[in-house]
Amino acid sequence: MSELAVTERTRHRRMRENGSVRKADLDAVLAAGFVCHLGVVVDGTPMVVPTVYGATGDTLYFHGSVASRSLQQDPAAELCVTVTHVDGLVLARSVFEHSVNYRCAMVYGVPRVLADEEKLEGLRVLSEQCAPGQWDYARRPNRKELAATTLLALDLAEASVKISVGPPDDGEGPDAELGLWAGNVPIRTVFDAPVPAPDLADGITLPDHIAALRTA
Amino acid sequence: MSELAVTERTRHRRMRENGSVRKADLDAVLAAGFVCHLGVVVDGTPMVVPTVYGATGDTLYFHGSVASRSLQQDPAAELCVTVTHVDGLVLARSVFEHSVNYRCAMVYGVPRVLADEEKLEGLRVLSEQCAPGQWDYARRPNRKELAATTLLALDLAEASVKISVGPPDDGEGPDAELGLWAGNVPIRTVFDAPVPAPDLADGITLPDHIAALRTA
């Protein structure tokens, strides 16, 4: 699959120049982060909750507890999972033309509750997306911890992607004569130096995979 | 108002140690960003859309176009607006105890559509939150542009805040004997150097308020 299927929900309506139907763009947006905003309907009204996720080429994994209120009411409830990266401010000559550069993926569907090997694999994907290397380094979940974890999987079958890049575009109209500065200001997310836990025993050194986060 | 009113939707259910009912915490979380995730119900299913916002002590402003599909169906539709700042990874000795440090505000309510002076003031608040100084520097919206803009206001009357900080807390159990590194890795959002638009005329210098974004 190299193109995303277009449904009534994923068809781009506004600013269509930003819409992408490339599966590679969806994969790239999902791979670039580890926090999504999960939308559920509770008692008829929306609730949007941030939570961590992991994604493979066809599945998005996340913890079920965040959606518990909704799932308890309706196990077959539709979800919307949105992943957004804010890449910069677009500062035009006029306030009206101001915008934001961003990459955003929205995934719709009914999640599956995972069990056994699939649950463990989903947890591995989620863990590795948030903190690469920790699945092999830290102690893995035992039977009791696995039982206490609800893991959901959402197929990437119905998804849309929007990507906005570049400078403001009001440089050819009358506003260009105003003599105002225009351009964009890139925004990045950075990791600072790891902070050892206050109760960390002496002599335990920082592993390379955590030190490597700084340059991510 | 120094404490947030607790409703069925805003009562903290999980990890209550992270829940705050301080109005000052709500204000601080909203002031620290300019992108929210807006949750609406469309045809009975949730949709979560990122958009810019501005907030005062009692009102959150955002563009109406992002919610247009929902608002066209039901002007009195309930919304959920969530603002999240991801502050760091919490790397414990066990995968199970891993978590994320974050600040999150969720605001519920039915938005009002603004007109006239209130609309202009809302746009000013939104503009200043995204790019402080641009409201006075750039050309402000003219009559036609104002008419083309839908601005919504959501009261901050029903909101909840969650804040998670600090190191992992599995340093006192048996996992502490594993000899593994544990701690947290702070995450920050930074502005890079402003990039002039390719069509920017010669001799237009970068204004101080945009240069100042770098240290934000």
Side-chain angles (χ1 to χ4, degrees), chain A residues 16-132:
Chain A
R16 285 189 293 176
E17 67 273 22
N18 294 337
S20 166
V21 292
R22 291 180 60 222
K23 174 67 164 62
D25 285 339
L26 174 65
D27 291 340
V29 170
L30 294 179
F34 60 88
V35 172
C36 63
H37 280 79
L38 174 69
V40 292
V41 178
V42 178
D43 297 332
T45 68
M47 186 170 73
V48 179
V49 185
T51 189
V52 292
Y53 72 91
T56 62
D58 55 13
T59 307
L60 191 144
Y61 299 98
F62 58 98
H63 288 296
S65 48
V66 289
S68 57
R69 284 184 70 195
S70 174
L71 291 169
Q72 282 160 12
Q73 295 186 338
D74 180 4
E78 288 269 351
L79 301 178
C80 175
V81 175
T82 298
V83 173
T84 306
H85 310 296
V86 179
D87 293 329
L89 295 172
V90 180
L91 305 178
R93 284 85 172 171
S94 69
V95 169
F96 188 74
E97 294 291 340
H98 276 56
S99 66
V100 169
N101 283 332
Y102 67 96
R103 290 161 291 154
C104 177
M106 296 165 65
V107 184
Y108 298 93
V110 177
R112 294 179 294 121
V113 179
L114 301 184
D116 305 326
E117 282 306 306
E118 209 182 3
K119 186 183 199 174
L120 198 66
E121 171 60 11
L123 278 174
R124 187 192 67 79
V125 170
L126 192 156
S127 172
E128 283 299 289
Q129 181 137 3
C130 298

Side-chain angles (χ1 to χ4, degrees), chain B residues 158-172:
Chain B
E158 187 175 359
S160 72
V161 179
K162 285 186 187 170
I163 297 172
S164 183
V165 295
D169 60 1
D170 62 350
E172 296 189 353

Side-chain angles (χ1 to χ4, degrees), chain A residues 8-9 13-14 34-35 37 39-41 44-48 50 52 65-66 69 78-80 82 84 86 89 91-96 98 100 104 106 108 127 130-131 134-135 137-139 141 145 149 167 171 175 178-200 204-207 210 213, chain B residues 8-9 13-14 34-35 37 39-41 44-48 50 52 65-66 69 78-80 82 84 86 89 91-96 98 100 104 106 108 127 130-131 134-135 137-139 141 145 149 167 171 175 178-200 204-207 210 213:
Chain A
E8 182 60 22
R9 289 191 292 203
R13 285 170 175 76
R14 300 180 54 248
F34 60 88
V35 172
H37 280 79
V40 292
V41 178
T45 68
M47 186 170 73
V48 179
V52 292
S65 48
V66 289
R69 284 184 70 195
E78 288 269 351
L79 301 178
C80 175
T82 298
T84 306
V86 179
L89 295 172
L91 305 178
R93 284 85 172 171
S94 69
V95 169
F96 188 74
H98 276 56
V100 169
C104 177
M106 296 165 65
Y108 298 93
S127 172
C130 298
Q134 283 294 91
W135 187 257
Y137 180 78
R139 179 178 64 72
E145 290 167 344
T149 304
D175 288 339
L178 296 173
L180 298 173
W181 190 90
N184 61 290
V185 185
I187 295 176
R188 269 185 310 133
T189 297
V190 297
F191 293 90
D192 281 336
V195 179
D199 54 13
L200 190 67
I204 299 179
T205 56
L206 185 72
I210 299 176
L213 286 171
Chain B
E8 183 60 21
R9 289 191 291 203
R13 285 171 177 75
R14 299 180 55 248
F34 60 89
V35 172
H37 280 80
V40 293
V41 179
T45 69
M47 186 170 73
V48 179
V52 292
S65 48
V66 289
R69 285 184 69 196
E78 289 269 351
L79 301 178
C80 174
T82 299
T84 306
V86 179
L89 296 172
L91 306 177
R93 284 85 173 172
S94 69
V95 169
F96 188 74
H98 277 55
V100 170
C104 177
M106 297 167 64
Y108 298 92
S127 172
C130 297
Q134 283 293 92
W135 187 256
Y137 179 78
R139 179 178 65 70
E145 291 168 343
T149 304
D175 287 339
L178 295 172
L180 298 173
W181 190 91
N184 61 290
V185 184
I187 294 176
R188 271 184 310 132
T189 297
V190 297
F191 292 91
D192 281 337
V195 179
D199 54 13
L200 190 68
I204 300 179
T205 55
L206 184 73
I210 298 176
L213 285 172

